[in-house]
Amino acid sequence: MPSPKRILVTGGCGFIPSNFVRHLLTSTSHEVVSLDALTYAGNIENLGDCMDHERLSFVQGDVRDPDLVADVVAGVDIIVNAAAESHVEKSILEGASEFVTTNVEGTQILLDAIRRTPVERFILFSSSEVYGTAERAPMDEEHPLNPRSPYAATKAGADRLAYSYYVTYELPIVIVRPFNNFGPYQHPEKVVPRFVTQALMDEPVTIHGDGHASRDWVYVEDVAEAIEAVIDANLDAVAGEVINIATGRDLSVAEIADLVLEALDKPASLKVNTPERPGQVDRHIGSTEKAERLLGWRARTSFEDGLERTIGWYDENRMWWESPLRSKTGAFSS
């Protein structure tokens, strides 16, 4: 078993990173530092059951603060940079400024910090959104980058910036590109929890366009296991690499709506089609070959099993999402 490390998880109160922090605390012996600015997507309640854990330290702060970042980085062995503005529709309707500063400049500040204070490895959460619509299926890591929203463009910027630091400064960078995550603690702006919460409240289940757009859906606990595998992998095998985190299966948004309504025994009449979102990606389906070859990792959870667990969690945790998160965004979106 690898010796325990001190791992910094930026954006640690967000959806994916909070699940990853919980995974580290329950399934490994690593110490964890969670850094989060607690914006609309960073909810301290996401780690409410972990905050008193002896191996967790929480720092409220922003990755765009160079002095704070330098202090935090000086005390860790590994960095998992998952801090990001990730609300696609917000990047379209309200502008890209916050996305550029958090996703690109925040990454740059972290990268410059590890130039001064080296760490064992730096894992960047990129996104499958950097690929744009699939030109071939499945999409491997050599697929062209054609981001179709301001959000996706900033993730592509951070992705390539991190790679440049590997090439130029020989930093121990690994870039992961998760496909569409779903599971507990996901903000109801995202499509799976939006459908689930709308159906639980017997509200219209709103589908952008005709719902034909398809995605590769990865259960968040499987993603946590993938990142643990990146931490444990031989550095020579993964440094400078880009690795998809995918299942190799895609389902359309319309199919997801049907599965949610069926699982909750709700009528199909709840489905309502709304105008298509600008910059919509038609299809995402990821190649799993590289993750299997380099990490020995493969997603273990089928979409159907993950959806059952996700529905159960939102049904049992209505206090988490019913009023506080709705009031933060004013409405559900995707």
Side-chain angles (χ1 to χ4, degrees):
M1 179 176 292
S3 59
K5 305 295 182 182
R6 188 167 173 83
I7 300 173
L8 169 63
V9 181
T10 69
C13 291
F15 160 52
I16 302 175
S18 68
N19 277 280
F20 177 58
V21 167
R22 187 173 291 101
H23 173 82
L24 289 175
L25 295 175
T26 58
S27 301
T28 78
S29 56
H30 297 305
E31 293 184 27
V32 184
V33 179
S34 172
L35 172 67
D36 201 295
L38 298 180
T39 61
Y40 79 94
N43 185 350
I44 193 71
E45 293 180 20
N46 289 359
L47 289 176
D49 59 332
C50 304
M51 291 302 286
D52 294 331
H53 197 288
E54 60 182 7
R55 288 189 283 115
L56 175 64
S57 304
F58 174 69
V59 178
Q60 183 171 351
D62 199 312
V63 292
R64 296 172 294 185
D65 181 339
D67 292 335
L68 173 67
V69 165
D71 287 343
V72 175
V73 166
V76 301
D77 304 305
I78 292 168
I79 297 173
V80 178
N81 181 26
E85 289 282 345
S86 62
H87 187 177
V88 176
E89 195 161 350
K90 182 182 177 186
S91 80
I92 294 169
L93 298 177
E94 299 182 21
S97 178
E98 286 288 310
F99 293 78
V100 171
T101 57
T102 299
N103 299 355
V104 182
E105 293 181 20
T107 297
Q108 170 249 311
I109 287 168
L110 284 160
L111 291 168
D112 284 338
I114 68 171
R115 288 182 61 201
R116 296 185 296 269
T117 309
V119 294
E120 292 182 19
R121 69 190 66 191
F122 180 103
I123 301 167
L124 175 72
F125 262 84
S126 181
S127 168
S128 65
E129 289 286 326
V130 302
Y131 294 126
T133 292
E135 295 184 3
R136 57 179 181 263
M139 306 161 82
D140 62 19
E141 290 81 356
E142 300 303 316
H143 187 284
L145 304 188
N146 294 306
R148 292 176 60 87
S149 70
Y151 156 71
T154 63
K155 293 299 286 186
D159 181 312
R160 294 298 81 196
L161 184 66
Y163 179 74
S164 78
Y165 274 60
Y166 163 74
V167 174
T168 304
Y169 305 111
E170 298 183 339
L171 297 181
I173 308 292
V174 188
I175 299 161
V176 294
R177 292 179 182 156
F179 280 66
N180 284 62
N181 274 230
F182 71 103
Y185 297 98
Q186 188 171 27
H187 197 292
E189 75 197 12
K190 305 298 184 181
V191 67
V192 173
R194 177 163 57 85
F195 286 172
V196 170
T197 53
Q198 286 172 334
L200 284 169
M201 294 184 295
D202 294 305
E203 292 185 349
V205 173
T206 51
I207 300 170
H208 288 300
D210 62 8
H212 77 276
S214 68
R215 299 289 186 271
D216 189 325
W217 307 92
V218 194
Y219 189 62
V220 69
E221 177 60 24
D222 290 352
V223 174
E225 292 175 357
I227 304 305
E228 181 188 356
V230 175
I231 289 171
D232 294 341
N234 183 292
L235 183 61
D236 290 338
V238 297
E241 297 290 345
V242 174
I243 305 172
N244 284 342
I245 302 177
T247 70
R249 175 193 181 196
D250 62 330
L251 288 168
S252 73
V253 172
E255 289 176 287
I256 304 302
D258 289 337
L259 287 169
V260 168
L261 292 172
E262 180 182 350
L264 289 170
D265 196 25
K266 301 291 185 177
S269 58
L270 281 180
K271 289 189 297 182
V272 174
N273 294 90
T274 62
E276 186 64 274
R277 187 176 66 193
Q280 182 66 278
V281 172
D282 284 336
R283 189 185 188 198
H284 266 184
I285 179 170
S287 170
T288 63
E289 184 276 331
K290 194 171 184 180
E292 291 182 49
R293 174 166 50 86
L294 294 183
L295 307 177
W297 175 88
R298 188 175 180 85
R300 297 189 297 114
T301 309
S302 70
F303 181 82
E304 290 77 7
D305 287 347
L307 182 63
E308 181 180 357
R309 294 187 218 171
T310 301
I311 289 173
W313 189 87
Y314 282 90
D315 192 22
E316 294 166 8
N317 291 273
R318 292 176 181 250
M319 289 292 291
W320 180 86
W321 58 266
E322 267 192 322
S323 55
L325 291 183
R326 283 169 72 89
S327 65
K328 280 189 178 185
T329 58
F332 291 132
S333 58
S334 64

